Amino acid sequence: MKKILKEYILPKLKKEGVLHVSLIDPDPLRQSIEEGGKMGKFATESGTDLIFIGGSTCFDRSFIDKTIIEIKKHTDLPIILFPGNISGISAHADSALFLSLLNSRNHYFISGQQALASFTFKAFNMEPIGTAYLIVEPGSGAGWLGDAKLLPRNKPELSLGYALAAEYLGFKMIYLEAGSGSNTSVPEQIIGLVKKNVSIPIIVGGGIKTTDDAVAKVMAGADLVVQGTMLEETLLKDKGKSLAETIKAVKLAGKKRLE
Ligand code: 1GP
């Protein structure tokens, strides 16, 4: 079994202060398998550290498998699943976030789906990175599909309660999510408060569309910054130029945080 958390993420974090993550959503309605491969190529050339594969609406495992195989032709970076549901688990990935949507109203998204997915993880001998998934307003599709009781943006202490619970329950990472394509991202106040009080790595994603916003997340305490929409959009518009600039700024901010 590959151990991406222990052997790649944690040492890189210690050395560089932050990891930039590119999210590719293997959804046939969004892009073809070849385009997915192109996104992986662009993300790698732009300097990203890690590729997440997943989304709330991708249900076709064979399409996910093929997309990962295509991406692997263009990158040596670890590919980690970010599954929106149990059909999002592919044996071709290197590792996977084993997500529990702690602030869901529906136990299926907290532990039910996980119990079913565990058989596949066992069969695939795949690393399950236990990750508490916390959805903050506005939440977008992930919030709706996961039946989340969205964490209020103006009450950071409520997010902190869930983050502390995640650490006490033994999760390896926390994912603060504002929802893919949201018009706003997770507030720095929430990230900062969580960072001050928990010691496990914090992933932040959803609605991070500009370099300044990405840098603000790092300076507030994000350990992994996830961008999906920006990768999709800049690939089409400016051939990924602004993604490369953002990644450069994120990495610089990570170094600054280490000083
Ligand atoms: C969604 O956090 C990710 O789960 C990425 O969101 O597409 O808005 O970058 P964006």
Side-chain angles (χ1 to χ4, degrees):
M1 185 193 290
K2 286 189 185 164
K3 293 188 176 144
I4 304 294
L5 178 65
K6 213 169 146 201
E7 290 170 11
Y8 183 81
I9 298 178
L10 297 179
K12 207 167 169 63
L13 256 184
K14 203 168 167 199
K15 199 168 149 219
E16 298 175 17
V18 71
L19 266 72
H20 181 275
V21 183
S22 294
L23 172 68
I24 300 173
D25 190 345
D27 180 344
L29 296 175
R30 297 173 93 100
Q31 78 266 323
S32 66
I33 288 159
E34 290 68 31
E35 283 165 339
K38 252 190 207 162
M39 286 170 78
K41 182 172 187 275
F42 256 115
T44 306
E45 288 170 354
S46 306
T48 202
D49 297 300
L50 208 51
I51 293 176
F52 278 0
I53 296 284
S56 311
T57 52
C58 52
F59 295 98
D60 182 344
R61 183 174 290 165
S62 119
F63 191 84
I64 300 170
D65 284 342
K66 287 179 194 152
T67 301
I68 296 176
I69 292 168
E70 186 64 27
I71 293 171
K72 282 197 160 177
K73 290 182 190 161
H74 302 287
T75 188
D76 291 325
L77 291 174
I79 296 183
I80 299 188
L81 298 173
F82 170 48
N85 53 72
I86 43 178
S87 55
I89 309 162
S90 164
H92 296 281
D94 298 302
S95 177
L97 300 184
F98 198 78
L99 297 164
S100 174
L101 208 181
L102 284 191
N103 62 316
S104 176
R105 291 187 180 88
N106 185 338
H107 64 86
Y108 179 70
F109 298 106
I110 303 170
S111 60
Q113 203 163 215
Q114 294 68 12
L116 299 175
S118 64
F119 298 116
T120 313
F121 274 78
K122 191 78 183 162
F124 289 174
N125 193 28
M126 181 166 278
E127 175 189 40
I129 307 178
T131 303
Y133 195 40
L134 307 182
I135 307 189
V136 178
E137 292 171 336
S140 185
W144 187 85
L145 281 155
D147 200 4
K149 192 173 174 189
L150 298 174
L151 288 157
R153 303 177 64 78
N154 60 355
K155 290 268 176 230
E157 60 277 18
L158 295 178
S159 293
L160 175 61
Y162 276 96
L164 282 171
E167 182 159 33
Y168 298 158
L169 284 164
F171 284 92
K172 304 281 193 302
M173 298 204 278
I174 291 166
Y175 195 136
L176 294 171
E177 171 75 88
S180 182
S182 286
N183 53 11
T184 178
S185 51
V186 176
E188 281 85 71
Q189 291 81 349
I190 292 182
I191 302 167
L193 189 65
V194 171
K195 183 69 185 172
K196 212 171 131 197
N197 291 284
V198 305
S199 54
I200 52 178
I202 305 166
I203 307 170
V204 178
I208 304 174
K209 293 196 200 92
T210 64
T211 302
D212 286 353
D213 201 23
V215 168
K217 305 305 158 199
V218 181
M219 295 320 286
D223 298 299
L224 286 85
V225 173
V226 186
Q227 292 189 288
T229 304
M230 192 183 201
L231 167 62
E232 282 171 29
E233 287 181 356
T234 64
L235 179 55
L236 295 175
K237 280 189 211 143
D238 67 1
K239 297 197 170 21
K241 213 175 103 220
S242 42
L243 181 74
E245 279 165 16
T246 300
I247 296 175
K248 212 168 146 195
V250 161
K251 308 287 290 178
L252 213 67
K255 283 210 179 101
K256 230 186 245 170
R257 231 177 60 183
L258 284 181
E259 286 168 10

